Amino acid sequence: MDQELVIHIPAARLDRALPHLAAAAGGPAGIVCEQARETLRLDGLRCLVYAMRGSGEHVRAPLVYPFVRLDDFNFQEGGRAAHLLPGIDWLVLGGDPEKLSRLALEAARALSTAGRPATVRVAPFVSIAGGLPQEREPGDTVFEFRKSAENFNQADWLQNAALLTSLPEDRWADAGVANTVDQFEVLAPVLERYLPRPPRVIVDLGCGLGQTARSLARRYPDARVLGLDSSAEAIKAAQSVFRLPNLSFGLADLSRPLDLAPGAIDCLVSVNALPYAQDQLGAARELFSLLSPDGLLLNLCRAEESHQLYDFPRGLLLPTNTQLFVSDWARAAGRAGLGTKLWGAPMGLSSSFYTAKPFEVFASALDAYARAHRHDGFGGYACSCSHVLLVHGARVPRTALPAVARQDNHLLRLDLILGGAARLPKELQRAAIAAWLGNARGLDLYNEALDFMAALLPRSAPLLRAALGPLLEAQPAAM
Ligand SMILES: C[S@@+](CC[C@H](N)C(=O)[O-])C[C@H]1O[C@@H](n2cnc3c(N)ncnc32)[C@H](O)[C@@H]1O
């Protein structure tokens, strides 16, 4: 059985794909094509469990071509590539048949044993039914990947520093360059609310240029503020630009234990940096142990679910940073005896993440939305939030996190959040749909792909149909 690669494919795509797959299998002897079946039940498929190393989050799915594209993400694989693992079904929903056949050829080679070539069994289907249960099942293959250890965020720190110092301070916000925005205003109300006493030690982890650390040092002149980052250039720039008696900067890599005593930190702040930890649960455990008994940890980050509005089909089967944060960090906080509060923030919403063609239309609609909501402050978590702020501390109430409840799995949460897009202003919805269409075109999505997503994300199905329907009409089967 393990020497067989089973490829489920829409019957309508068979004629085009079969010659490519036959070539991949090494000739007609190595390929078996079944009769088309009316319905493919998703819940009967042999699945992979995609799990990020050191996280409790996982997604259970077959290998879905072309939706699983680990290569485009900031990940590195642990062992064999996902498509080379035995004992999993492949579900083909469109995409480039030549690329598919290359993957199939590699897989067939990997599955062959000495003298016994693998068989490629092609199983056509007409429609899809059922869901994908997310609980692990006996026999599931685990595919563990990890965040890359590489620091992908290498801004030109010296240039950023020069830009800021060329402007009067009250115009720094105008610079609008990622990595120069001071997020103190976002953090301040939370600090006011939850810090029980003036802090003695504050750490800004992944501080970059150090602008937020600088504001913390000004607001708390009696505290020692330490900005830490793994980029030597960032630290050098920070040291040259921001000089205050209670502020210092140093090198530290959050993927390794920090050189700080347990309980030493009263307030640990991190802005758009904790996603770089390779082991989320491990990092959370370590950082919580560094907090003083009434200490606070504030994790402000881009909400990747908002990216799903335009990056949706590619990210579908992998947990996003937000999901990792919400489930792993809240879980680790609970274990450390700390409560967790989750906010969504419309401010800080930056169109720069969306300006690449074909998303300009989405970027300008987002900008307009952000301008209108700039002063709304924090609210419940929704797919229109550009950022999430997770606040952990002993004085933070241990409330449930209703918007992204932990007992739900990754796909259910995504469904809930995308379903929420139906409540967004019409122009933003339209822009998101246009962006989806652009992305979907890149991925060659077809009717079956829409059926698959609708089966996976039933609450979002109307929105998906609205988003992808026009594409389906305009561009019938190309594969
Ligand atoms: C998006 S920037 C944010 C910088 C700053 N907090 C801000 O808001 O402008 C991410 C920062 O994380 C740092 N970083 C990346 N990997 C890291 C690691 N493993 N340990 C510590 N810092 C890291 C980068 O050097 C970069 O300064």
Side-chain angles (χ1 to χ4, degrees):
M1 187 67 174
D2 276 359
Q3 271 176 260
E4 221 175 47
L5 172 62
V6 183
I7 299 184
H8 301 272
I9 188 163
R13 313 284 171 239
L14 194 60
D15 284 354
R16 181 89 199 285
L18 207 52
H20 294 280
L21 290 171
I31 186 159
V32 177
C33 186
E34 295 177 348
Q35 286 280 73
R37 77 176 85 167
E38 195 51 44
T39 307
L40 171 69
R41 289 208 58 89
L42 291 177
D43 36 21
L45 295 180
R46 293 173 304 160
C47 288
L48 265 175
V49 174
Y50 298 94
M52 201 189 88
R53 186 173 175 277
S55 165
E57 276 285 292
H58 66 265
V59 186
R60 188 178 172 277
L63 192 131
V64 185
Y65 178 81
F67 281 170
V68 175
R69 299 180 17 168
L70 291 164
D71 51 317
D72 262 11
F73 290 81
N74 174 9
F75 293 135
Q76 69 195 44
E77 288 161 4
R80 281 171 130 187
H83 70 286
L84 300 180
L85 297 171
I88 44 171
D89 288 327
W90 290 24
L91 175 56
V92 173
L93 294 170
D96 176 353
E98 281 181 19
K99 271 193 210 147
L100 171 68
S101 79
R102 265 202 306 280
L103 290 180
L105 175 62
E106 284 173 26
R109 280 197 186 128
L111 294 178
S112 298
T113 48
R116 289 187 60 206
T119 304
V120 175
R121 183 177 293 279
V122 179
F125 63 87
V126 175
S127 65
I128 286 175
L132 276 176
Q134 290 299 293
E135 301 73 40
R136 286 187 192 196
E137 293 189 1
D140 278 346
T141 304
V142 177
F143 177 69
E144 204 183 46
F145 54 96
R146 59 166 80 198
K147 294 254 174 165
S148 172
E150 203 177 319
N151 183 352
F152 281 84
N153 203 300
Q154 285 296 355
D156 189 331
W157 298 107
L158 297 173
Q159 193 181 311
N160 283 355
L163 174 66
L164 281 194
T165 46
S166 71
L167 290 169
E169 247 197 83
D170 59 353
R171 290 200 37 225
W172 279 11
D174 299 356
V177 180
N179 301 322
T180 60
V181 180
D182 182 356
Q183 299 285 11
F184 176 73
E185 293 304 322
V186 176
L187 306 174
V190 176
L191 295 171
E192 295 303 318
R193 185 157 165 188
Y194 288 119
L195 271 180
R197 57 181 169 80
R200 285 178 295 254
V201 177
I202 300 176
V203 170
D204 179 356
L205 189 52
C207 63
L209 190 54
Q211 69 283 7
T212 303
R214 188 283 307 251
S215 292
L216 286 161
R218 277 189 172 168
R219 168 65 187 83
Y220 300 105
D222 296 329
R224 196 158 61 83
V225 178
L226 181 59
L228 297 174
D229 201 284
S230 60
S231 160
E233 198 195 320
I235 292 302
K236 198 170 149 207
Q239 282 166 335
S240 69
V241 181
F242 299 121
R243 294 164 194 267
L244 289 170
N246 63 332
L247 177 62
S248 56
F249 294 99
L251 278 171
D253 186 331
L254 71 97
S255 289
R256 301 196 202 103
L258 297 179
D259 191 14
L260 288 160
I265 306 174
D266 297 317
C267 179
L268 193 150
V269 164
S270 189
V271 180
N272 287 329
L274 291 183
Y276 293 98
Q278 283 194 288
D279 171 349
Q280 295 286 312
L281 270 173
R285 256 196 314 272
E286 195 217 332
L287 296 182
F288 289 139
S289 78
L290 299 180
L291 290 183
S292 58
D294 53 4
L296 266 188
L297 189 149
L298 271 54
N299 174 4
L300 177 66
C301 256
R302 255 192 303 152
E304 285 190 343
E305 275 76 11
S306 74
H307 292 216
Q308 302 278 15
L309 283 172
Y310 80 96
D311 203 16
F312 167 59
R314 277 191 302 175
L316 179 65
L317 293 178
L318 296 174
T320 60
N321 283 330
T322 325
Q323 285 152 357
L324 298 174
F325 284 152
V326 171
S327 64
D328 288 348
W329 288 74
R331 191 178 318 179
R335 286 183 191 149
L338 307 174
T340 295
K341 174 102 184 140
L342 171 71
W343 272 288
M347 67 269 258
L349 204 136
S350 159
S351 63
S352 64
F353 298 120
Y354 303 97
T355 43
K357 282 184 185 166
F359 311 126
E360 286 150 329
V361 58
F362 187 42
S364 55
L366 265 183
D367 263 351
Y369 184 76
R371 268 195 302 278
H373 292 271
R374 184 151 295 156
H375 302 294
D376 286 4
F378 293 108
Y381 184 57
C383 60
S384 53
C385 296
S386 71
H387 285 67
V388 281
L389 175 60
L390 275 172
V391 182
H392 310 280
R395 283 163 46 101
V396 179
R398 292 200 197 201
T399 49
L401 299 169
V404 272
R406 267 182 297 153
Q407 64 269 27
D408 287 345
N409 64 54
H410 162 82
L411 292 175
L412 287 177
R413 285 201 300 269
L414 182 57
D415 192 17
L416 190 76
I417 285 159
L418 287 173
R423 289 191 296 277
L424 288 178
K426 275 278 172 287
E427 95 234 44
L428 201 55
Q429 265 187 49
R430 268 200 296 273
I433 286 167
W436 270 347
L437 288 180
N439 203 23
R441 203 165 277 132
L443 285 173
D444 292 339
L445 283 175
Y446 299 105
N447 278 298
E448 295 78 4
L450 184 56
D451 286 351
F452 174 68
M453 291 190 284
L456 242 55
L457 309 169
R459 279 175 286 201
S460 312
L463 196 71
L464 294 176
R465 286 198 186 280
L468 299 173
L471 176 72
L472 300 176
E473 283 155 28
Q475 198 184 342
M479 176 172 158

